[in-house]
Amino acid sequence: RGAWAPVAMGHKAVWWLAVSRPEDVARGPEEDAFRRSMRDIAAESLALLAATAAAPSERYPGLFSLDVFAQVIGMFELNNLEIAVASPTEDYFLAVDDLADGTVEKAAVERVTGPLLDALDTGYCAPCEGTGFFALQSCMNSDCDPNVAPLKDDGDRDGACVLVAKRDIRAGEELTMCYVDEAADVDTRRAELADYGFTCACVRCVREAAGEGQQRRGTKTK
């Protein structure tokens, strides 16, 4: 229970069911085979994880069950945001530079790090890019005319979740974001949002599906 606490609010769908069906995979038996292959991948990944974390897996066997593992991955599948963090390799080399010049310690370390730095060239400072789960952001509902949007500057390397207001927001107004590309047409948006288990019925989708121009809040009808 304690292990689940930090992510308790995240929607946890079984991963191989949450993964979007590829366009080249037909519904029916072909999709069923695709889902089974994803389940096999999850089972293989869990076995590798358990083998590298033998002590925790023996102490908390419930956390290393395929059902729990699939829900954790599924939670990321549906709730992740792209993030970037500073290169730990760069931090290491900077720490080496900070060692006192002329010391035996620095000379010994540089004999090891020097060839590595030469081999990496400028790549040593490349940030680590990936995805992250953020508890508060994961609770936000989707709206195709949202009032906030995730925003990361190209220079951001702190791994934080940043949500920026797109317009004036009233006190007490629910914060919403669009789970998919809001620039897409209504059919595309609804098809992609179906992967989250619902048919979008936000004001924008209803109007556009009816062939009406969308009155964006604070803007002219398009």
Side-chain angles (χ1 to χ4, degrees):
R1 182 177 299 177
W4 276 118
V7 295
M9 67 296 297
H11 178 64
K12 303 172 186 67
V14 174
W15 179 58
W16 50 84
L17 300 179
V19 172
S20 301
R21 177 180 59 84
E23 293 182 357
D24 60 347
V25 173
R27 297 186 184 278
E30 190 172 343
E31 181 180 357
D32 293 341
F34 167 74
R35 303 288 177 194
R36 286 195 298 271
S37 70
M38 299 300 289
R39 186 184 188 283
D40 292 342
I41 291 173
E44 182 179 353
S45 298
L46 177 60
L48 292 172
L49 177 62
T52 57
S57 64
E58 292 173 1
R59 186 174 181 182
Y60 306 106
L63 292 178
F64 286 79
S65 69
L66 183 58
D67 180 61
V68 170
F69 185 64
Q71 290 185 56
V72 171
I73 305 175
M75 180 180 66
F76 271 86
E77 182 76 23
L78 296 176
N79 296 284
N80 71 84
L81 281 182
E82 293 183 2
I83 60 171
V85 296
S87 167
T89 306
E90 180 182 20
D91 291 341
Y92 176 73
F93 287 126
L94 290 174
V96 172
D97 288 341
D98 288 340
L99 295 174
D101 291 332
T103 62
V104 174
E105 179 187 14
K106 186 169 186 177
V109 173
E110 287 183 333
R111 281 196 294 273
V112 176
T113 61
L116 296 176
L117 188 57
D118 291 339
L120 291 170
D121 195 23
T122 58
Y124 79 95
C125 60
C128 296
E129 298 180 349
T131 60
F133 172 84
F134 299 90
L136 182 60
Q137 173 269 327
S138 73
C139 294
M140 298 177 66
N141 286 322
S142 181
D143 191 310
C144 296
D145 185 16
N147 52 22
V148 303
L151 178 67
K152 292 293 286 183
D153 185 89
D154 289 341
D156 289 345
R157 299 288 183 265
D158 57 5
C161 172
V162 179
L163 298 172
V164 178
K166 300 186 63 179
R167 56 178 171 78
D168 292 339
I169 300 173
R170 301 186 307 275
E173 180 181 352
E174 179 185 6
L175 299 181
T176 60
M177 60 183 290
C178 190
Y179 294 172
V180 298
D181 182 5
E182 62 187 88
D185 61 66
V186 61
D187 290 336
T188 300
R189 295 196 310 271
R190 280 183 162 177
E192 293 180 353
L193 287 168
D195 291 331
Y196 291 86
F198 65 92
T199 298
C200 188
C202 71
V203 173
R204 182 184 174 194
C205 280
V206 171
R207 288 179 62 90
E208 291 184 3
E212 303 174 15
Q214 164 58 15
Q215 179 70 51
R216 294 293 188 93
R217 280 162 279 191
T219 64
K220 297 180 180 179
T221 301
K222 294 186 176 180

